[in-house]
Amino acid sequence: MWIRSACYENHVIRRILTYPDPVLKQAAREVPNIDGALVRTIDDMVETMYAAPGVGLAAPQIGLSERVIVLDVDHDDRGTHLLKLVNPVIAERDGEILWEEGCLSVRDFTAEVRRAARVLVKGWTPEGKEIEIEADDLLGVALQHEIDHLDGTLFLDRLSRLKRDLYKRRLKKLEREGREPAPRRVMI
Ligand SMILES: [Zn+2]
């Protein structure tokens, strides 16, 4: 049982790390048990995701190298489809799909990524309940994108070297000019 403290509503919007921060390249640890501190961190992740705005966020993106992700692919009906997953794994994958992806940790860049068309993901809720999710379309893609984060993989790593180098050059140019890349709307 979780006792919600009075500060439960005061979620903190965390800073999102961006490429090439080394934490994003690390494989995250399995969560051995879910305690109150982790539950509060997961709620901070949800607030941070909505504020960004993004449809998903993985713990390494806020500098926490643990296997936790949050997703909500429907911002028009915020919270109804909210998923908070601890130790998620892709148990089955099927088919193939190309999706134009962006990432809150990869500024000013989107690219088509090849993913499984459908996935079956197993994991745990913050309440310690085991769940299974069958997903396709945006949710299927977002789950694969977030679980990639837990393995230290960015969508950039799934592109051709040519496209990746193109992005690196563009980022260097933006940094030389001292410009902040423009934010994009749909990020996962
Ligand atoms: Zn991402």
Side-chain angles (χ1 to χ4, degrees), residues 8-15 40-41 43-48:
Y8 172 65
E9 295 300 328
N10 299 327
H11 305 311
V12 180
I13 293 173
R14 307 289 191 96
R15 189 172 71 88
R40 283 191 293 279
T41 300
D43 287 330
D44 286 354
M45 286 173 62
V46 171
E47 287 307 304
T48 305

Side-chain angles (χ1 to χ4, degrees), residues 21-169:
D21 193 293
V23 176
L24 297 169
K25 296 297 291 175
Q26 287 171 16
R29 290 179 296 268
E30 290 246 339
V31 174
N33 60 309
I34 303 164
D35 59 15
L38 184 66
V39 170
R40 283 191 293 279
T41 300
I42 294 171
D43 287 330
D44 286 354
M45 286 173 62
V46 171
E47 287 307 304
T48 305
M49 171 182 73
Y50 284 139
V55 301
L57 191 71
Q61 291 180 277
I62 59 161
L64 178 70
S65 199
E66 298 201 18
R67 302 189 80 83
V68 176
I69 59 175
V70 297
L71 304 102
D72 191 343
V73 296
D74 185 2
H75 281 218
D76 292 333
D77 192 10
R78 199 174 267 196
T80 305
H81 302 101
L82 175 63
L83 286 172
K84 306 173 189 177
L85 292 175
V86 178
N87 295 338
V89 291
I90 298 174
E92 288 172 29
R93 57 182 87 221
D94 179 33
E96 212 173 77
I97 196 171
L98 270 179
W99 202 281
E100 178 91 15
E101 293 186 24
C103 176
L104 295 170
S105 295
V106 179
R107 296 172 297 169
D108 199 35
F109 188 67
T110 62
E112 277 194 343
V113 183
R114 196 174 299 277
R115 300 281 187 186
R118 285 168 298 281
V119 287
L120 174 68
V121 171
K122 295 184 179 184
W124 301 80
T125 69
E127 293 77 27
K129 188 168 152 257
E130 200 167 9
I131 53 169
E132 287 189 8
I133 300 146
E134 271 186 63
D136 58 7
D137 285 321
L138 178 57
L139 181 59
V141 168
L143 280 163
Q144 291 172 76
H145 178 114
E146 300 311 335
I147 292 170
D148 261 1
H149 274 301
L150 304 183
D151 296 324
T153 301
L154 296 174
F155 82 96
L156 292 174
D157 300 313
R158 297 199 174 275
L159 305 179
S160 67
R161 170 170 285 200
L162 186 76
K163 280 191 186 160
R164 200 161 49 237
D165 287 349
L166 192 76
Y167 175 66
K168 287 180 186 169
R169 280 204 301 276

